[in-house]
Amino acid sequence: EGDSLPVSAFLGLEDGAFPQGTAAYEKRGVAINVPEWQVENCLQCNQCAMVCPHAAIRPVLTTDEEVAAAPEGFVSRPATGAQGLHFTMQVSVMDCLGCGSCAQVCPAKEKALVMKPFSTQEQKAPLWDYAMSVSRKANPMNKFTVKGSQFEQPLLEFSGACAGCGETPYAKLVTQLFGDRMMIANATGCSCVWADSVPSTPYTTNADGHGPAWGNSLFEDNAEYGLGMYLGVRQVREKVAMDVAEVLANDQTPADVKAVLQDWYDHRDDTEGTRERADKVTAALEGVKDSCPVCRRIYDRRDYLVKRSQWIFGGDGW
Ligand code: SF4
Ligand code: SF4
């Protein structure tokens, strides 16, 4: 009887927003064959994780203690390029769709991924849960490389795209590089079907709660839709910058707050460090927002302090 529910019944979600990352609860287990990692053959190149359309195979770095505490069957070897850590290429057998892309791309002379019947791998599902529970490590590589990009958390995972989908590996990669501050305007078509088969949502958030904001409009208007998102954000950010300039010109503003605001103002359109600058401004305003109405206004718009990364996704519809 969903049609009879008024919007007001959806407490906290009256604007039509959905919770992120719900695809992680599906655990479909629909693959006929899933990859088994052959640790001794692996070159640690991360190409398999790069091509996986479902983020169902990922490199995981662990400490000595985490290896010692791992459940039986968890396999690792010393990590290349990350001293003191161990490397595992972990498969989620329940989220894998069995496309075989990972095994196909594996460049090892003796393949380091071999497709095996699901029934022989099913019992390994808890190993994925353990791999996802270990502490997050700083990326030991340049994230703008094939190998380094895959040490970043995919903020698009376990979508309902077809096995072997050619779109989702790229969409996933974009989320690994820019996902914590991304906005996506999505055309109607395949890319919105795998992205919002409500209530299954594959776009997810990182440990800080940041992830892609995603919206879908029509088949034909996606350029305008995305441009509108971009212009709307730019307009709000220009107002925030005007408020910051006003606070900077005020003699009453404490010097330490001024220093943080000046740094934000001077670099507000720089990508590098935008999250850190925004966090510093938010922290600095905590102490003054109750005595300074303009500071309060900036604080209320703190989501806009971060420079956003605007994307327009097409797909077969557009
Ligand atoms: S078989 Fe396909 S879905 Fe499964 S882990 Fe490999 S690339 Fe991902
Ligand atoms: S593609 Fe093959 S060699 Fe490279 S990390 Fe994956 S399993 Fe290892």
Side-chain angles (χ1 to χ4, degrees):
E1 296 183 11
D3 283 352
S4 65
L5 286 168
V7 170
S8 57
F10 294 87
L11 295 179
L13 299 170
E14 297 89 342
D15 64 353
F18 283 91
Q20 300 272 79
T22 50
Y25 298 106
E26 291 208 316
K27 299 289 172 258
R28 304 178 184 97
V30 293
I32 294 169
N33 296 306
V34 298
E36 183 184 65
W37 187 46
Q38 313 296 310
V39 57
E40 295 307 328
N41 298 344
C42 183
L43 309 170
Q44 302 188 26
C45 68
N46 287 354
Q47 290 187 39
C48 49
M50 177 84 157
V51 300
C52 177
H54 295 92
I57 181 167
R58 300 184 198 176
V60 176
L61 296 172
T62 42
T63 61
D64 291 342
E65 295 73 33
E66 286 164 343
V67 169
E72 198 184 335
F74 185 80
V75 187
S76 67
R77 65 185 298 179
T80 313
Q83 224 179 1
L85 294 174
H86 304 266
F87 177 95
T88 298
M89 186 51 73
Q90 186 62 52
V91 178
S92 174
V93 295
M94 297 302 287
D95 294 302
C96 170
L97 262 74
C99 67
S101 291
C102 54
Q104 172 88 17
V105 81
C106 178
K109 200 167 168 210
E110 298 284 333
K111 286 279 182 191
L113 291 167
V114 178
M115 300 302 287
K116 296 268 180 80
F118 179 79
S119 58
T120 66
Q121 305 297 308
E122 189 179 2
Q123 73 284 2
K124 295 181 182 172
L127 300 179
W128 172 265
D129 298 335
Y130 180 73
M132 293 302 107
S133 74
V134 301
S135 63
R136 284 222 164 263
K137 317 293 184 299
N139 193 334
M141 318 281 299
N142 173 2
K143 77 171 182 176
F144 293 102
T145 61
V146 170
K147 180 168 177 175
S149 65
Q150 297 312 303
F151 287 120
E152 297 290 325
Q153 181 186 355
L155 296 173
L156 171 66
E157 58 182 11
F158 322 133
S159 76
C162 307
C165 176
E167 284 180 349
T168 50
Y170 294 97
K172 180 190 69 175
L173 176 62
V174 175
T175 71
Q176 287 169 302
L177 301 179
F178 309 106
D180 73 321
R181 54 190 187 86
M182 258 177 105
M183 293 182 70
I184 306 167
N186 208 115
T188 293
C190 56
S191 59
C192 84
V193 174
W194 54 250
D196 73 338
S197 297
V198 173
S200 175
T201 312
Y203 286 105
T204 191
T205 52
N206 63 19
D208 297 324
H210 300 140
W214 183 98
N216 162 234
S217 183
L218 307 174
F219 278 108
E220 66 276 18
D221 69 346
N222 201 37
E224 292 83 351
Y225 185 49
L227 180 64
M229 282 184 178
Y230 172 79
L231 292 175
V233 168
R234 191 176 73 176
Q235 183 76 4
V236 177
R237 293 192 88 233
E238 280 174 4
K239 287 198 181 308
V240 172
M242 286 163 68
D243 281 345
V244 169
E246 192 178 328
V247 175
L248 285 171
N250 187 339
D251 293 342
Q252 306 296 314
T253 309
D256 55 336
V257 175
K258 269 192 179 178
V260 169
L261 287 175
Q262 188 70 56
D263 185 45
W264 180 86
Y265 190 84
D266 293 343
H267 301 283
R268 63 190 184 278
D269 291 326
D270 294 351
T271 298
E272 195 66 36
T274 181
R275 172 73 61 195
E276 291 75 16
R277 278 189 294 279
D279 288 348
K280 279 185 195 164
V281 170
T282 302
L285 293 177
E286 293 281 357
V288 292
K289 64 180 168 34
D290 293 333
S291 56
C292 159
V294 186
C295 300
R296 158 65 70 180
R297 208 158 56 212
I298 301 168
Y299 185 83
D300 288 346
R301 288 174 172 158
R302 59 192 179 280
D303 272 359
Y304 291 87
L305 292 168
V306 171
K307 185 190 175 203
R308 298 194 184 178
S309 181
Q310 179 68 50
W311 291 77
I312 300 177
F313 280 2
D316 63 356
W318 195 30

